[in-house]
Amino acid sequence: MKGAERIDALADLSPGSVCQIVSLELSGLLRRRILDLGIVPGTLIRCIRRGPSGDPTAYLVRETLIALRSEDAAQISVRTLLNGEECI
Amino acid sequence: MNLSAKQKRSLWQDHFGITIAAGQYGVALAGNPNVGKSTIFNALTGLHQHTGNWPGKTVDNAQGGFQYQQKSFLMVDLPGTYSLLAHTVEEQIARDFLCFASPDVTVVVLDATCLERNLNLALQVFEITPNVIVCLNLMDEAQKKRLKIDVQSLERELGVPVVATAARQGEGLIELQEKILQVASGALPTNPRQILYSPEVEKAVEHLLPMVGSIANNTLSPRWLALRLLDGDRSFLDSLSSFLGVNSCWEGARCAQ
Amino acid sequence: MCAMMPTRSLSEVWSEAEIVRRSYPNSFSDQMVADIYGNVEQITNNVLTKQGSKRYLFDQKLDDLVTSKRFGYPLMLLLLVIVFWITMAGANVPSRLLASGLFAFQDQLTLWFQWIGTPSWVHGVLVLGVYRTLAWVIAVMLPPMAIFFPLFTLLEDSGYLPRIAFNLDHIFKKAKACGKQSLTMCMGFGCNAAGVTACRIIDSPRERLIAILTNSFVPCNGRFPTLIVVSSIFIGGAVAPYTGLVNALVISGLILLGIATTLLISWLLSLTILKGEPSSLVLELPSYRRPQLGSVIYRSILDRTLFVLRRAVLIAAPAGGVIWILGNIYIGQQSLLTSLGQALNPFGQLFGLDGFILMAFILGLAANEIVLPILLMSYLSTGYLQDFTSLEGLRSVLVSNGWTWLTAINMMLFSLLHWPCSTTLLTTYKETGSKKWVLLSFLIPTMTGLSVIFIFTQCVRFLGLV
């Protein structure tokens, strides 16, 4: 993966940008839910849109659109990709 | 598990509340939520359905019978789940049914438009039971999204029959029934692909393997048992004791902790 | 006890596995999931080719509109109004036809009964009681349901409903509840019992209980006809040319009130008996799909309309018989029914209703569908209704029994905010496994409704508006 930059939280991603999952700081059932949906370290994820009032946010991951609240997305670390546009 | 037909019938009745007739093939239907599982279930079983809850759980249970080529089948619609790692009641029910009821055939319904997330479940099913058919549903939607899936290569990769369907249009359902019959009767052998884990996990499995072999009286795959132990999955050990009667010792261990 | 066990017991192996698990710096569980997806990617790389398509673009464009800041909420409101407008405008004519047909048949039945020479009380119980109530239930309920359910199933099949949850989640988060609660409320429009069952989709037990306890604040299909008829008579009828639209707006307003109440009560519950912070939300937004018209009609008519109608008929038939008997057993000068109504009357008047309305709601515990038919039966047991088929006829019956616009509004408010039907209570018991929650699911909406109409009535009376 070229173009790797700094480590961010998934929640800080703006719509349209693509990033790669680094690690999950979540715990319990939510952590398992997220993992089972294929959001595992290394996965590419694209921020698609925010809800009408800014939260939750919909992400495209493995061809599915998944909405997460900002509190939860804040606990997922990602690496922003500059040239990730074609990857997903 | 290797059970006699009679033992199996009473196990289905006692643990799952499902009545299966003598000589009837048991077919489990697994899949993620929203993949058209119930469309397939309705199309195959029509009005011959029985709905209720799983014993002691607030989770829907639907069963239905169908006939194909003078053979009788009982289809059990498992709860829609993303995984079988048993973090929810639904996952636990689906896992226990595949594991302990050992259906003659398990049909895993996949959404062709998001193959990766659906294969996650399929590969987990492959670890539990060898008699699997993959039903690649929503092929019409995949076509609209211009996703091209090479069904023959997929069949080769997975080692089980793959049937492409568009259940809402009724496409591919006859072929699905044909494959169910073939696998149930043993005419079509299957050899599902097993997950290869990273070296650390494989090493740990190797380490535990000699110990677990005898635990489940050789009725379950030792490799899978070892993986569950590494997963630290207590719910599975609880199920194991209730189904196989390994209880007293396990209960002791629980109290000790 | 372990004598029969093989060389190693389960507990020994478990502790051995525990040691192995602890020796690994990361979590084996996480690693395994990641590994499974690694295997999956290998497979898909070999079998899947993406050619990029306009189909994704279509979804995106639609989502741009449906979840946009500017149009997201207005669009939801618009859909709500449209659905009810179509339902009410469409149900009007068939309802009238059904009523005139069914009541014409009643006269025929009466002739047959007379011809056979049955005693008049048998004719009374069977024709004037059972048959007439059934005719009401079918004429009033069948057309709106046969229109509403297919429309709702269309929305459900198209993939729009998860977008509602997406749009509304942050409001539910403020009420310390889950956005998926809006999906269970959508199911509640069809049937509150189904709505309570649908609460299974909410993971957090606290938030699931909140959703269960507040589900009856969305009016189910058994209550729509009551709302529609009362609104048509007293509000829509007053503005002749736009009756349908005005009714749709009134009903939509009531539903918004129900939603607001749901949010308020959810928030209050989160501060008191179901204390807690909002948990997480993982909501899948599936692709839009073109609904299969055939299967929509098949499922909505067979599974829903006929199912609900059957339930209503099964309860309405005996209830109609009982009402007729009560109305025709006299103690002194008064029928039992009138005595009962009068006994409840002071209490009803306090809340701006009357004794018969209260009695109809109490009997409606069996099924909300029978509230209006029973009420009309009660009024008619003492009076006459010449014209069964026009709203004007109904209006004169109600007005001659002392109804004002205040009674009409209270009737609608209390229909929206009162105890759930017995099926819903039973379902709540099955889902929660506790009588305590069943009791609360009865008390919370009841107290809310009584407070609302009491305050409203006293205010209106104080201001001298009625």
Side-chain angles (χ1 to χ4, degrees), chain B residues 20-78:
Chain B
I20 184 163
Q24 203 174 22
Y25 288 121
V27 183
L29 193 62
N32 284 6
N34 298 319
V35 293
K37 212 156 58 73
S38 41
T39 315
I40 291 176
F41 181 73
N42 289 337
L44 290 192
T45 63
L47 295 172
H48 308 280
Q49 291 183 9
H50 175 79
T51 53
N53 279 357
W54 291 89
K57 307 270 166 48
T58 51
V59 177
D60 289 324
N61 165 330
Q63 313 140 36
F66 68 92
Q67 303 277 330
Y68 182 76
Q69 303 279 346
Q70 285 93 48
K71 290 278 188 292
S72 171
F73 298 85
L74 181 72
M75 189 169 245
V76 179
D77 191 9
L78 299 178

Side-chain angles (χ1 to χ4, degrees), chain B residues 200-235:
Chain B
E200 304 90 324
V201 180
E202 291 292 345
K203 222 177 90 192
V205 170
E206 285 292 303
H207 177 77
L208 289 178
L209 218 44
M211 292 174 242
V212 296
S214 46
I215 280 188
N217 311 334
N218 296 317
T219 50
L220 293 171
S221 139
R223 178 182 164 84
W224 196 65
L225 208 55
L227 285 164
R228 294 288 66 75
L229 286 165
L230 283 179
D231 198 7
D233 183 356
R234 277 170 175 281
S235 83

